[in-house]
């Protein structure tokens, strides 16, 4: 662009027209210079801030490495941490434990049933309590003459099935007396046959405070059961000689109490022997 000595003349009376393209280029150049100045200042400021942050990080790391900071005193050194545990690893056997002994096995065969057989083993104490009912214990007897403890056809049944011995015990309450006869056999099968074939009854045992009951011709209740190698028989009647009827709840309850007690005593005998076998040392 060229100007005269008096400067540019852009008015109506001027002799020269302005160079509009040159003016636009000059304006754009000024705008670019301003923009680069702003960008350069931002970069410089960012660099300064980055330097400050880097310095702070280096400073913090330096304090931690000297061990003089608060956090350093609270953290254990790497060598203080355990590298392994002393707890043993759990182990499981692949062999299943043997099943516990069956208590009935120990009262079903003479070879296993080795506990003492006597009156106190089955009928201990002087009284028997069943719920709210208390029975006085009367006479007892233990004999190997099985037939002598019976009435009518029960004697031959016991002998024919191999009876080894009989224990009798009598209990009484409120004028009702019960004699239980426990017959011992060699096997469970023998005892079961004796109970199934039972005819007649166990003979009532009086004495020790219990008068004679169930004389010939009177009506008394008779029962027969077995468990393991034991058959047990009961006869229930009134000490007054009164007959027992099927509607006589008192006599039936007394007989049931004594037979239930006898069954529990036999079962308990098996439980004790099974428990002893389970805890006995091997070898």
């Amino acid at each position: 662009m060229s100007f005269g000595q008096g400067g540019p003349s852009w008015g109506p009376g001027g002799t020269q027209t302005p160079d509009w393209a040159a003016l636009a280029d000059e304006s754009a150049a000024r705008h670019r210079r301003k923009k680069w100045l702003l960008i350069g200042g931002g970069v410089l400021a960012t660099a300064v801030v980055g330097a400050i942050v880097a310095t702070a990080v280096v400073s913090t790391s330096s304090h931690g490495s000297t061990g003089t900071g608060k956090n350093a005193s609270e953290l254990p050194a790497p060598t203080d941490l355990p590298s392994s545990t002393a707890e043993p690893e759990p182990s499981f056997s692949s062999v299943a434990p043997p099943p516990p002994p069956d208590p009935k096995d120990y009262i079903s065969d003479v070879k296993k049933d080795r506990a003492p057989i006597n009156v106190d083993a089955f009928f201990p104490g002087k009284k028997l309590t069943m719920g709210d009912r208390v029975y006085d214990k009367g006479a007892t007897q233990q004999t190997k003459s099985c037939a002598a403890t019976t009435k009518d056809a029960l004697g031959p049944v016991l002998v024919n099935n191999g009876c080894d011995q009989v224990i009798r015990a009598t209990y009484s309450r409120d004028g009702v007396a019960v004699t239980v006869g426990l017959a011992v056999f060699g096997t469970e099968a023998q005892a079961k046959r004796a109970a199934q074939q039972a005819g007649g009854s166990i003979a009532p045992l009086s004495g020790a405070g219990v008068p004679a009951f169930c004389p010939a011709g009177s009506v008394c209740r008779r029962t027969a059961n077995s468990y393991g190698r034991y058959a047990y028989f009961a006869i229930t009647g009134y000490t007054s000689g009164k007959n027992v009827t099927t509607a006589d709840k008192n006599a039936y309850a007394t007989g049931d109490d004594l037979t239930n007690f006898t069954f529990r005593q036999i079962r308990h005998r098996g439980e004790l022997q099974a428990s002893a076998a389970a805890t006995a040392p091997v070898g």
Side-chain angles (χ1 to χ4, degrees):
M1 182 179 61
S2 61
F3 302 96
Q5 287 183 336
S9 177
W10 297 336
T15 58
Q16 192 172 10
T17 301
D19 189 346
W20 299 111
L23 291 175
D25 291 340
E26 184 178 352
S27 176
R30 285 198 303 270
H31 179 70
R32 285 194 298 270
R33 286 195 298 271
K34 184 177 180 180
K35 181 178 179 181
W36 283 112
L37 287 173
L38 291 175
I39 292 174
V43 171
L44 179 60
T46 301
V48 172
V49 171
I52 293 172
V53 171
T55 303
V57 171
V58 172
S59 176
T60 302
S61 176
S62 175
H63 282 297
S65 64
T66 59
T68 58
K70 181 179 180 181
N71 291 337
S73 64
E74 295 176 353
L75 296 175
T79 55
D80 295 335
L81 296 175
S83 59
S84 62
T85 177
E87 293 293 330
E89 292 292 330
S91 60
F92 302 94
S93 173
S94 59
V95 180
D102 184 355
K104 193 177 180 183
D105 288 345
Y106 289 85
I107 53 170
S108 297
D109 194 309
V110 66
K111 295 178 181 179
K112 286 188 175 182
D113 187 13
R114 309 304 298 172
I117 296 177
N118 51 52
V119 173
D120 289 336
F122 294 95
F123 306 106
K126 295 181 178 181
K127 293 182 180 295
L128 170 64
T129 301
M130 298 288 285
D132 59 351
R133 300 174 296 280
V134 180
Y135 298 94
D136 294 321
K137 184 178 177 182
T140 61
Q141 181 196 50
Q142 181 174 5
T143 178
K144 289 186 176 293
S145 299
C146 297
T149 65
T150 66
K151 293 175 63 175
D152 303 328
L154 183 59
V157 169
L158 296 185
V159 173
N160 293 338
N161 283 287
C163 176
D164 178 66
Q165 59 180 304
V166 174
I167 297 174
R168 286 191 295 170
T170 298
Y171 292 84
S172 66
R173 176 179 179 268
D174 295 341
V176 178
V178 180
T179 293
V180 178
L182 182 73
V184 185
F185 297 85
T187 66
E188 179 181 14
Q190 291 174 319
K192 185 178 293 187
R193 282 197 303 269
Q196 292 172 343
Q197 296 171 2
S201 68
I202 200 77
L205 181 65
S206 60
V210 179
F213 63 100
C214 292
S218 64
V219 179
C220 293
R221 185 191 181 204
R222 301 175 296 178
T223 61
N225 298 277
S226 70
Y227 189 70
R229 69 188 190 104
Y230 300 91
Y232 51 103
F233 311 89
I235 184 168
T236 305
Y238 283 95
T239 56
S240 64
K242 173 185 173 182
N243 290 333
V244 176
T245 67
T246 56
D248 198 332
K249 295 182 179 180
N250 189 29
Y252 271 71
T254 299
D256 290 344
D257 278 348
L258 267 298
T259 54
N260 288 338
F261 172 73
T262 304
F263 164 75
R264 294 177 187 177
Q265 289 296 98
I266 299 170
R267 183 179 63 183
H268 184 58
R269 176 183 178 88
E271 292 170 346
L272 291 177
Q273 293 184 90
S275 178
T279 58
V282 179

